Amino acid sequence: PPGGAGAGGAMWARGLWALLAALRAGWCLLPQAGYLHPDEFFQSPEVMAGDILNLQVYYPWEFLSSSPCRTVVFPLMTSGVTYWVIKSLQQLDVCSSCINSYTLLVSPRLLFTIFSFILDYSVYRLAPFWEADPWKALVLLAGSYVTLVFYTRTFTNTLEGLLFALLMVLVSSRKAGGSVAEPTSSPLIGIVTTAGFFNRPTFLAFALMPLLYWAGFIVDSQKGIKTVINHFLKLVLCACFTAVVFITADTFYFTSVGLDNLYGIKNSSLLDVIGQLHEKMIVTPFNFLSYNLNPHNLALHGSHPRVTHFTVNGIMLFGILHILAISAGFKMLKKYIHQLIRVKSCYHGSSGLLVHSEGNPTLLLFYFVPLAFLSLFSHQEPRFLIPLILPLVLFSTSQNRAVKWKHVITIFNVLGALLFGCLHQGGLIPCLFHLEQLTHSPEPSNHPRHYTLLFAHTYMPPRSLLNIKKRDTHIEVIDMAGSGEETLCRVVGQQANNFTCNNCHVFVIIPGTVRATITKCGVSFKNETLIFPHLSMEDPPQLPFLFSGNWRSQLGLYILQLDRDR
């Protein structure tokens, strides 16, 4: 019977979602080896590992007191909390080695993975409101490789997506019976919007349409002007209070009044402290905007055509769903243009954009308006678009748009998960795990070993995963980035001929695709370890080699130990 088939389909969807949710958590704990972008480490875990665990780390320029462009609040609330927990467990002797490369990597990721279920909650809440099936939408969300990979990583973009989801829930609230609810979430909307702005100022691009939708809803549902003003006043006051909290925390962290000198100001009067904070007040989003609105600064990070988000990044992240949204967008735009041409239908067409009965056009605006604003900047990376998965999933599930493409969607997400979750720079994190064990192995006290780790043609290695205390000087990390052959050979030669160190061990970490380069440097190696798989898109393997007996080397990362005796 139709009712039974529907119930069976719903039960199957629930089971599939539970399976995908378990995969999300389990793959995080495994852990995922793929390395998406240096920012997943250097905008939160790396900084907090240095501040809280006192490890040797590399502080990115955004977190230096001379150029503070990132708020410290979210790193403290996420990676900072998890590192404080494992530090406390070790101090309480709950476990003797709680702090190691695995816990340093997985503990912040696990917290983000738990937070990622805010997306699932938001979809479940919003699907009926936007005329979509909740469980089909949840399956589409949980099966996306964007959710499985990007939303389990410590990106500020991940937090941006979660805050965007919460904002959409707040502006779309309805009573259980489907009637219009009283808009009581004004303070929360102010808090979420301000927190999103301090996390990433680009959040305003995502928040624009939800805020306009909420404002229109407030005006339409209230008869008295005083009530309308009251709602807006609550929003503004809560937004201002939240901004003060962020500014105060950032000012303490980045200035001389900050964490380093907290003990020195204990005896100062409250007025003196407030005066110092006011003089050195730091508003990180303004510094962020000042930097990124300069085209020269953006060019340092890479310039892209303005259509990259529309034509490349959207498809790379969402596949056929992005194409379906573009197609539907053009059709609806054509429809509204025809309505505008007919004078008597003009007013009806324009007002229908923000009415619940015309939900799909509104969802398209929630998707394309942020996309358009982000396209104004010349630096365009795929991860900048991951918050858009929520409106896209809701739009694709409404009217069962995605059902006939389910096989294409499945294959696309499996390939995406393998590429970004396993292959992409996938040897670097296992390499750091291996080197952490190697450098912390027992050694004779009278002949301490010194290690030099030279990384070339890999993403920036997060030093925190090596678990080196700041006071330790027996391990040196050299990041050669994408240095040319001449520079690489010169540095490797210097390390090989450094006879001032008697018990030195030099390791060169390099992808298999540039393994031949190191053989031209005139040095010998006594040990080599191949970590598989590792795909470097900056030094991609050549197709003929992939079909030869050397294919494993082309998709691997080498750890080469210099033979200094020769």
Side-chain angles (χ1 to χ4, degrees), residues 201-474:
T202 52
F203 184 75
L204 294 182
F206 296 97
L208 177 62
M209 284 309 302
L211 289 177
L212 288 177
Y213 183 91
W214 173 80
F217 177 71
I218 290 289
V219 172
D220 289 343
S221 62
Q222 300 298 327
K223 297 180 180 180
I225 187 66
K226 288 184 179 180
T227 309
V228 173
I229 293 175
N230 183 44
H231 283 297
F232 283 97
L233 191 60
K234 287 180 182 177
L235 184 148
V236 172
L237 288 175
C238 288
C240 290
F241 174 78
T242 307
V244 169
V245 172
F246 276 86
I247 292 170
T248 303
D250 291 336
T251 302
F252 265 110
Y253 182 82
F254 285 111
T255 68
S256 58
V257 186
L259 297 179
D260 293 336
N261 288 324
L262 279 179
Y263 295 104
I265 64 173
K266 279 184 178 179
N267 296 323
S268 301
S269 68
L270 180 61
L271 290 176
D272 290 338
V273 174
I274 293 174
Q276 293 179 59
L277 287 173
H278 182 266
E279 290 176 6
K280 301 179 180 182
M281 186 171 62
I282 289 177
V283 186
T284 53
F286 292 165
N287 297 338
F288 178 95
L289 290 171
S290 176
Y291 180 88
N292 285 281
L293 290 176
N294 187 331
H296 175 72
N297 291 336
L298 285 182
L300 297 175
H301 301 274
S303 294
H304 309 94
R306 294 296 197 278
V307 296
T308 302
H309 279 326
F310 277 98
T311 58
V312 179
N313 295 340
I315 296 175
M316 185 185 301
L317 290 175
F318 308 123
I320 191 66
L321 300 184
H322 178 72
I323 297 173
L324 292 174
I326 291 177
S327 174
F330 276 119
K331 290 178 181 178
M332 291 182 183
L333 185 62
K334 182 179 178 181
K335 182 185 75 172
Y336 282 113
I337 290 174
H338 285 174
Q339 288 182 348
L340 289 172
I341 292 174
R342 302 171 187 170
V343 178
K344 66 178 182 179
S345 302
C346 175
Y347 297 102
H348 300 292
S350 60
S351 63
L353 281 170
L354 291 177
V355 176
H356 175 51
S357 61
E358 296 288 346
N360 288 337
T362 309
L363 281 175
L364 282 178
L365 288 175
F366 281 14
Y367 182 74
F368 283 114
V369 168
L371 193 59
F373 273 106
L374 293 175
S375 297
L376 297 176
F377 298 93
S378 60
H379 182 59
Q380 302 186 14
E381 297 182 28
R383 62 192 171 95
F384 296 169
L385 302 183
I386 65 171
L388 296 177
I389 189 171
L390 180 59
L392 186 60
V393 162
L394 293 172
F395 177 79
S396 302
T397 316
S398 63
Q399 300 180 18
N400 290 322
R401 289 182 176 86
V403 171
K404 64 179 180 180
W405 299 97
K406 59 183 179 182
H407 299 298
V408 174
I409 293 170
T410 301
I411 294 171
F412 171 79
N413 284 307
V414 168
L415 293 177
L418 289 175
L419 174 60
F420 292 104
C422 299
L423 287 173
H424 189 259
Q425 294 284 326
L428 191 55
I429 290 174
C431 165
L432 292 169
F433 280 20
H434 173 79
L435 292 173
E436 189 241 3
Q437 293 182 348
L438 179 69
T439 55
H440 288 77
S441 57
E443 60 182 24
S445 57
N446 55 338
H447 293 290
R449 291 190 290 262
H450 184 276
Y451 295 92
T452 298
L453 311 177
L454 193 151
F455 293 83
H457 292 263
T458 68
Y459 274 5
M460 190 187 305
R463 274 77 159 171
S464 59
L465 295 187
L466 292 169
N467 193 19
I468 313 166
K469 291 294 183 181
K470 287 181 179 178
R471 64 177 181 271
D472 294 340
T473 59
H474 71 290

Side-chain angles (χ1 to χ4, degrees), residues 186-204:
S186 307
L188 289 176
I189 291 173
I191 292 171
V192 170
T193 303
T194 307
F197 176 66
F198 273 83
N199 175 58
R200 289 184 66 86
T202 52
F203 184 75
L204 294 182

Side-chain angles (χ1 to χ4, degrees), residues 5-199:
M11 186 64 69
W12 178 86
R14 293 181 185 187
L16 182 55
W17 173 82
L19 185 64
L20 291 169
L23 173 63
R24 192 189 317 174
W27 201 9
C28 168
L29 295 171
L30 196 58
Q32 284 187 27
Y35 183 172
L36 299 176
H37 190 278
D39 282 356
E40 68 175 287
F41 293 102
F42 293 93
Q43 287 183 358
S44 182
E46 185 84 353
V47 177
M48 291 298 104
D51 290 346
I52 293 175
L53 301 178
N54 202 33
L55 298 181
Q56 288 186 26
V57 298
Y58 176 83
Y59 283 94
W61 64 270
E62 299 103 318
F63 283 92
L64 299 178
S65 58
S66 58
S67 54
C69 289
R70 300 281 181 188
T71 182
V72 75
V73 174
F74 282 110
L76 280 171
M77 291 171 60
T78 54
S79 300
V81 168
T82 59
Y83 287 162
W84 178 82
V85 169
I86 61 175
K87 179 181 179 179
S88 300
L89 290 175
Q90 183 158 305
Q91 289 175 340
L92 294 171
D93 290 328
V94 175
C95 57
S96 58
S97 57
C98 288
I99 302 174
N100 54 63
S101 56
Y102 175 81
T103 57
L104 288 168
L105 173 73
V106 171
S107 58
R109 283 188 178 181
L110 182 60
L111 184 62
F112 270 70
T113 301
I114 294 170
F115 285 164
S116 73
F117 286 94
I118 293 174
L119 272 183
D120 302 71
Y121 166 78
S122 301
V123 164
Y124 187 78
R125 280 284 306 273
L126 291 169
F129 179 72
W130 296 105
E131 299 175 345
D133 182 272
W135 288 105
K136 288 181 180 178
L138 281 170
V139 168
L140 189 60
L141 173 76
S144 170
Y145 85 88
V146 173
T147 305
L148 288 169
V149 179
F150 282 85
Y151 273 93
T152 59
R153 304 299 180 91
T154 48
F155 284 118
T156 56
N157 310 91
T158 304
L159 292 173
E160 187 173 43
L162 299 178
L163 291 169
F164 179 50
L166 289 175
L167 187 60
M168 284 193 64
V169 170
L170 291 173
V171 303
S172 305
S173 58
R174 281 293 190 275
K175 288 182 180 177
S179 59
V180 177
E182 288 296 323
T184 58
S185 53
S186 307
L188 289 176
I189 291 173
I191 292 171
V192 170
T193 303
T194 307
F197 176 66
F198 273 83
N199 175 58

